[in-house]
Amino acid sequence: MTEPSLATKTHTHASPHVEPPIARFTWVIWPWMNWIVPAFVCLHGLSGNGGWESLLLIYGAVLIVPAFALLGSLPRFLLRKRGYRSAPLTTVPLLFVIWWGWTCVGAAMPGITDSSPLPSIANSLTGERLPSAIELMLMVGGMLAGTIAWIAVVASSIALSNRARAGRAPSRPSRAGVIVAWVAAVAIPAALIVICVVGVQLGVSATDADGDTQAVAAARGGSARDELDQQRYTTMQEALSEVRGLISATDWTGAQSGTVSGTCPWVTQAADCYALDARFVFKAAEEPDFTGIAETLQSSGWATESVTTDQWGARELDVHSPDGVSVTIRYSTVDGQGFINTRAKSSSWWGSRYDVRVPDGAVDEKQMWAADDFPLR
């Protein structure tokens, strides 16, 4: 009788037990997922949410998809070479982490455009109410989890391959291992759904500077909204006037005001947020008394920060009023002439900044303003 070959021995040792269905199922879909998942990541923009990033991914798919498929096939090749015909239970949960993790990358990736981003697939499925922070968490978390899990699968496959090559039989499939494998297959997508549901609820319940949710702000009538915006504008300008009065009572120029994008929490594609800003300029022969200004404002309940110097040598002081208005005092020189720029930015509220009516005319450098005066509608 001839001596069994090494390959026959390896095959005998690699599969001495009946493998669980989850292990055989994972082994069968493994090569398919190596292609399907990276293809989805590269071509997700074809669903209608693609931006500049999708253009790069679509053209790069010719190289990216085969490269990812080759890397995903490497551990399976090592195991198959040693006689494995089903996925080891130690690798099954990790494989599902890889597949679901990279699926999250494609599903949560928003479309990058020249203006506002296009909603991701996950965002569209939730009615465009998934907060951008949740999208970022799913995308970055999926990428990191998928990469780390792939490294673990490769390491595990090498160890199992070396074990088989040494003629040592693999461990008997345990009930706990089967349970963990099924949990990974089912619980990971369930957890992703829960994260999206919780994220939507966070977005819906998020409040602006006045404690209003986006739904409350959207239901407000036009006249009520206009009156409220005027009050907010006046509050911001009065805070700026208080700071300007500590520098000079007269001779302010360069009056500007307008709206900017706000920073409300849990911003989604379905809701916008805005803030108000204003600016005045004063020609000064010397730097303002930053220390004295800060001490005076602190006695009035303002919060102040340390004076900083930027890369151009300009000196700045940031202060914050009790009403949530942030004011920056900046002293700089141009051709030997000193200028004090004071810029205020309000808190943020739900709504589109394009619907807000505030004085926003052209700057008239010849018009002089008193410290307690500002443009009115």
Side-chain angles (χ1 to χ4, degrees), residues 71 74-75 78 149-159:
L71 291 173
L74 176 61
L78 294 175
W150 176 81
I151 295 174
V153 169
V154 172
S156 176
S157 299
I158 292 175

Side-chain angles (χ1 to χ4, degrees), residues 55-239:
L55 186 63
L56 296 176
L57 287 173
I58 290 172
Y59 280 109
V62 178
L63 297 176
I64 296 174
V65 175
F68 270 67
L70 179 62
L71 291 173
S73 300
L74 176 61
R76 190 178 188 274
F77 171 78
L78 294 175
L79 294 172
R80 185 179 179 85
K81 185 178 180 182
R82 294 304 170 189
Y84 280 85
R85 295 298 179 265
S86 64
L89 283 178
T90 54
T91 64
V92 172
L94 296 171
L95 289 171
F96 281 108
V97 171
I98 295 172
W99 300 334
W100 284 116
W102 282 100
T103 298
C104 278
V105 174
M109 187 182 299
I112 300 174
T113 65
D114 292 334
S115 54
S116 59
L118 297 173
S120 66
I121 294 176
N123 200 308
S124 297
L125 292 175
T126 59
E128 297 188 8
R129 292 187 176 277
L130 186 66
S132 56
I134 300 297
E135 285 183 316
L136 181 62
M137 181 187 72
L138 290 175
M139 188 170 64
V140 176
M143 189 181 303
L144 291 175
T147 302
I148 294 173
W150 176 81
I151 295 174
V153 169
V154 172
S156 176
S157 299
I158 292 175
L160 292 172
S161 178
N162 291 336
R163 181 188 180 99
R165 184 170 56 184
R168 299 168 58 190
S171 303
R172 181 184 296 274
S174 65
R175 182 179 179 82
V178 174
I179 294 175
V180 172
W182 277 108
V183 168
V186 178
I188 292 177
L192 296 177
I193 293 174
V194 170
I195 290 173
C196 290
V197 171
V198 172
V200 170
Q201 292 303 313
L202 289 173
V204 170
S205 61
T207 57
D208 60 14
D210 285 350
D212 293 332
T213 63
Q214 194 274 333
V216 171
R220 188 173 289 126
S223 58
R225 161 74 179 273
D226 188 50
E227 181 180 354
L228 190 56
D229 285 334
Q230 182 60 39
Q231 294 174 1
R232 293 167 175 172
Y233 172 78
T234 302
T235 299
M236 176 193 64
Q237 286 285 15
E238 289 176 346

Side-chain angles (χ1 to χ4, degrees), residues 69 94 117 265 290 341:
L94 296 171
F290 286 119
N341 278 270

Side-chain angles (χ1 to χ4, degrees), residues 251-334:
D251 298 334
W252 289 91
T253 63
Q256 282 183 308
S257 60
T259 56
V260 294
S261 297
T263 55
C264 282
W266 303 108
V267 175
T268 73
Q269 294 293 329
D272 196 5
C273 208
Y274 73 95
L276 306 175
D277 72 346
R279 167 182 174 267
F280 281 89
V281 180
F282 177 74
K283 291 184 179 180
E286 58 185 13
E287 180 179 290
D289 181 11
F290 286 119
T291 301
I293 293 172
E295 291 177 351
T296 302
L297 292 174
Q298 287 173 0
S299 65
S300 299
W302 288 59
T304 63
E305 300 181 17
S306 301
V307 180
T308 60
T309 303
D310 65 16
Q311 56 184 326
W312 296 282
R315 301 261 289 166
E316 290 187 351
L317 171 65
D318 291 324
V319 295
H320 311 278
S321 78
D323 296 321
V325 179
S326 298
V327 179
T328 298
I329 308 169
R330 185 174 190 270
Y331 176 77
S332 60
T333 58
V334 178

